[in-house]
Amino acid sequence: MTTTFQGFTQMGLDFLRDLAANNNREWFAENKAVYTEHLYTPMKQLVLAINPVMEELDPKVSTNPVGTVSRIYRDTRFSRDKLPYKTCLWFAYKRPAENWAEIPVYFFEIQAAEYSYGMGFYLASRATMEQFRGMIDADPQKFLATVPFLKRSRTFKLVTEDYKRPTPCPHGDEIAPWYRCKSFAIICRKTPDKTLFSRKLVDVLTDGFVQLKPLYDFLWQAYTLGRPV
């Protein structure tokens, strides 16, 4: 087996589809070799291929595939859903933090019928979002300079979770969607294509991550206001 990333396979996608219909330990044990060869190993190889670019974008992120690639096993201890396995796999580049869900991260995710990548928060804290809006208030044009590509992008879209009672935005319609959200991400979603099944995926992801770098830095500045770093 090659040691460098050459793309995912249809067999890997079929595994995720079949796992959704057979989410039990017996089926997984019988098919674990497929998962390892066609999903987990390629995902680790993909991380290793992207690492040089990520180390330039943010030298503080962890690039160890062991911590960067998600586990297929679900933690069901405090969940009503007792299905033992996730039906997707992802990586997330993140800095060490007490709660990674509230810091900005770069990510890639593969499912049976879709793959996606981008950057944002999983669950930003209220304090972070208040600081984010405060930075926008201080210089709206500086913020807009971090996301000019969204006006013309066929790749990335802003995906938000909004407050039920959002703070009114004083800066016009272009900034309003950012102002009313309590967490958000910039995401590209695609159906499986030739890119997913080839090494070209490395270039697509790294090009996208580089494009998101100015916004990533802005979000980190918002997160670190008032916090020791």
Side-chain angles (χ1 to χ4, degrees), residues 36-54:
T36 301
E37 180 177 350
H38 293 273
L39 286 168
Y40 187 65
T41 296
M43 188 70 86
K44 290 195 298 181
Q45 292 169 344
L46 180 58
V47 167
L48 292 173
I50 293 174
N51 277 351
V53 172
M54 289 308 307

Side-chain angles (χ1 to χ4, degrees), residues 14-58:
D14 292 344
F15 172 91
L16 292 174
R17 181 201 62 208
D18 294 342
L19 176 60
N22 301 276
N23 201 325
N24 60 75
R25 291 178 174 81
E26 292 75 19
W27 185 90
F28 184 83
E30 293 174 1
N31 294 274
K32 185 175 181 180
V34 176
Y35 161 73
T36 301
E37 180 177 350
H38 293 273
L39 286 168
Y40 187 65
T41 296
M43 188 70 86
K44 290 195 298 181
Q45 292 169 344
L46 180 58
V47 167
L48 292 173
I50 293 174
N51 277 351
V53 172
M54 289 308 307
E55 289 166 353
E56 292 184 9
L57 292 179
D58 186 352

Side-chain angles (χ1 to χ4, degrees), residues 55-76:
E55 289 166 353
E56 292 184 9
L57 292 179
D58 186 352
K60 294 182 179 180
V61 298
S62 172
T63 56
N64 186 339
V66 173
T68 304
V69 176
S70 67
R71 288 167 52 85
I72 195 74
Y73 308 99
R74 294 184 63 250
D75 184 352
T76 61

